[in-house]
Amino acid sequence: MMNQKNDSIESLATASLMTVASELFSNHHIITLPKGAKYTFQTIIMTLLHAATSVNNSLESASNDLKLKSFLTKIPSADTIFNYINCNNVEYVLSSFRAMNRDIFKSMNIKGKVHDIAIDFHNIPFYGDENTPLISGIKPKNGSAWGYSYCTLDIIGDVKLTLDVIAINGFNKNYFDLITFLFERLEKMQIKVGTVYLDKEFCNDDTISALTKLNINFVIAAKRNPKIMGILDNFKKENGPASTVFEYNFNKNGTYFNLVATHDEEKGYILFATNKDVKSIEIFEKSIPEEYRKRWNIETGYRVKNNFKIRTCTKSPVARTLFFVIQCTLHNILNMLKSVLEITAYELKSLINEDIIKVIRYGLKSLYIIPFKLFLNYLNMYNKTRKRDLRNQLLRI
């Protein structure tokens, strides 16, 4: 076992993370190249990864930079890569992302375990014609009320992974159907849900009805409205500036839920919708806002994903989706590695990009090749051995 442990550590230390990432994209054909393509899949992926991991964070800049650094490898132009990308469709890219995730999830051993989940919309402002495919109305941001919108499903807590991505358009943003569809996908992934955390955009009867029907615990940041504020004003007159919990529904036939109103001297009432049982009002008022703070993990996840952002002005919905999927995949690879190694987003970017330059500059096919499945086996072996050694140390104390 000691030899296996040493072998796994040595393999993890010498593996090329560029090779690991590019093989993952290759195994599941994140895009399909057209017949007679002049450039190889690996060269296309390396150029995309260079855009995602270097200061040259647009496809045009990444292509030009690699052309300057390459002695032997022919580098495609950004226009050529966009042409290759546009031979695909959005759903193909998303289905490939889900296939890549299945490999990553195996190494994380997340199936059959209870996880808290966050669902959110990731909006990218768009400044062209709002009739462009995949463009929908979004919350106004940076001077635009139109953009590309993706619904993301994330595990939050000690494990952080983007489980799924759904491309949103004006026709499929039906909250009841969307929530139902997302939890059907979770069931297929064999993920058990503890509590789902959502922001104010999901605080509506359709979302709450779907979650109630699915028997899923939820905590949702709630919006103020005249009806709610009337209830709170009456409560305040009778009890003073205190926190409270009361049963509420949005309309006559709507689903009832608990509305937690915590009173803040500066902000007034802060509202949360939940279907959790009220055993003690005092504990309930304190625990629900504290629980909701878990959702901040998804905001941290957005910042990490933005480390791998490929900037572009393209109107292509396929390219936009591919670039977002690359962000999410590299975010998942990072968190997969974090389960056994101390590594930051910056370090992962540097390691991948250093290897890309070596391959491109000297015309190498690859570096330190370890098949992706074997790499995952080494991760699992190292993780199990580390946990066993820790248990043995605790027993000796």
Side-chain angles (χ1 to χ4, degrees):
M1 180 61 72
M2 184 58 69
N3 287 336
Q4 284 184 325
K5 178 182 176 182
N6 291 337
D7 287 346
S8 66
I9 293 172
E10 182 179 352
S11 297
L12 290 173
T14 59
S16 163
L17 294 181
M18 180 276 293
T19 301
V20 169
S22 63
E23 187 190 347
L24 183 61
F25 286 114
S26 301
N27 285 348
H28 299 288
H29 297 93
I30 190 65
I31 57 170
T32 299
L33 301 189
K35 290 183 179 180
K38 182 179 177 181
Y39 297 93
T40 66
F41 185 90
Q42 185 188 24
T43 305
I44 301 299
I45 289 300
M46 283 196 294
T47 309
L48 287 165
L49 286 174
H50 188 56
T53 60
S54 72
V55 294
N56 304 286
N57 57 2
S58 74
L59 199 49
E60 292 82 358
S61 296
S63 172
N64 292 335
D65 185 57
L66 290 181
K67 285 178 181 178
L68 290 172
K69 293 176 178 175
S70 174
F71 298 149
L72 300 173
T73 306
K74 290 185 177 180
I75 306 299
S77 68
D79 286 343
T80 297
I81 297 176
F82 277 120
N83 288 337
Y84 288 0
I85 292 171
N86 288 328
C87 292
N88 298 264
N89 59 58
V90 169
E91 193 48 47
Y92 177 85
V93 172
L94 291 176
S95 65
S96 297
F97 169 69
R98 292 163 191 148
M100 289 190 292
N101 268 353
R102 286 195 289 270
D103 280 350
I104 293 173
F105 297 164
K106 287 178 185 177
S107 77
M108 302 290 287
N109 194 26
I110 63 172
K111 287 185 178 181
K113 297 181 180 179
V114 177
H115 300 280
D116 289 333
I117 300 294
I119 300 174
D120 210 350
F121 291 113
H122 186 95
N123 298 323
I124 303 170
F126 179 77
Y127 301 95
D129 182 359
E130 61 266 26
N131 295 312
T132 300
L134 213 66
I135 292 298
S136 61
I138 64 172
K139 183 178 178 180
K141 181 179 179 181
N142 298 334
S144 177
W146 299 94
Y148 292 93
S149 185
Y150 301 97
C151 185
T152 56
L153 190 65
D154 286 73
I155 289 179
I156 55 177
D158 294 335
V159 176
K160 298 176 182 63
L161 290 170
T162 298
L163 299 172
D164 206 352
V165 173
I166 308 295
I168 299 297
N169 58 49
F171 300 102
N172 70 352
K173 201 174 183 180
N174 176 305
Y175 287 92
F176 188 94
D177 291 344
L178 180 62
I179 294 295
T180 302
F181 175 72
L182 286 171
F183 280 91
E184 285 175 355
R185 297 200 65 79
L186 275 176
E187 188 175 355
K188 289 178 182 177
M189 295 178 204
Q190 299 176 41
I191 302 294
K192 296 181 180 179
V193 180
T195 300
V196 59
Y197 297 89
L198 305 104
D199 71 3
K200 291 180 181 179
E201 189 169 357
F202 289 91
C203 193
N204 54 60
D205 187 63
D206 282 346
T207 297
I208 289 171
S209 296
L211 292 170
T212 302
K213 184 177 180 180
L214 292 166
N215 197 29
I216 301 291
N217 286 334
F218 61 82
V219 177
I220 310 174
K223 302 174 184 177
R224 302 181 186 189
N225 63 33
K227 181 181 174 182
I228 291 172
M229 294 314 296
I231 294 170
L232 291 174
D233 286 342
N234 290 333
F235 173 83
K236 194 172 181 180
K237 288 175 184 177
E238 295 179 9
N239 301 279
S243 299
T244 184
V245 179
F246 56 92
E247 197 173 53
Y248 185 79
N249 66 345
F250 285 106
N251 53 64
K252 184 178 179 181
N253 298 315
T255 302
Y256 279 93
F257 57 93
N258 291 315
L259 195 65
V260 182
T262 61
H263 188 270
D264 183 275
E265 290 185 5
E266 294 182 2
K267 299 178 181 178
Y269 284 105
I270 301 171
L271 308 176
F272 298 94
T274 184
N275 59 347
K276 294 196 171 187
D277 293 334
V278 181
K279 295 180 180 179
S280 163
I281 290 179
E282 290 77 15
I283 295 174
F284 202 61
E285 291 165 350
K286 293 177 182 178
S287 64
I288 292 300
E290 186 64 31
E291 281 187 36
Y292 189 77
R293 290 180 185 176
K294 291 181 181 180
R295 195 187 167 280
W296 291 349
N297 283 332
I298 201 172
E299 305 298 336
T300 302
Y302 282 150
R303 290 195 293 273
V304 173
K305 287 173 191 171
N306 281 336
N307 282 299
F308 307 109
K309 186 174 184 178
I310 300 175
R311 301 189 183 279
T312 183
C313 295
T314 183
K315 295 180 181 180
S316 164
V318 184
R320 289 275 187 171
T321 302
L322 174 65
F323 294 172
F324 185 65
V325 160
I326 289 172
Q327 282 182 256
C328 294
T329 303
L330 290 173
H331 167 261
N332 284 353
I333 289 174
L334 174 66
N335 285 295
M336 175 185 72
L337 293 171
K338 278 186 172 181
S339 68
V340 294
L341 303 171
E342 289 187 7
I343 186 169
T344 65
Y346 177 78
E347 289 168 337
L348 178 62
K349 286 175 63 173
S350 297
L351 289 168
I352 289 176
N353 202 50
E354 285 173 10
D355 285 347
I356 289 171
I357 299 303
K358 289 176 185 175
V359 170
I360 292 295
R361 179 165 286 169
Y362 302 111
L364 303 175
K365 289 186 177 180
S366 193
L367 293 168
Y368 319 123
I369 297 173
I370 296 178
F372 183 74
K373 288 186 178 179
L374 183 58
F375 182 82
L376 295 186
N377 289 339
Y378 280 133
L379 281 177
N380 281 322
M381 187 189 305
Y382 178 60
N383 206 15
K384 288 178 182 177
T385 305
R386 186 181 63 168
K387 288 179 180 178
R388 188 198 62 214
D389 290 347
L390 179 60
R391 284 197 299 270
N392 291 338
Q393 288 176 16
L394 291 173
L395 289 174
R396 288 197 292 267
I397 293 176

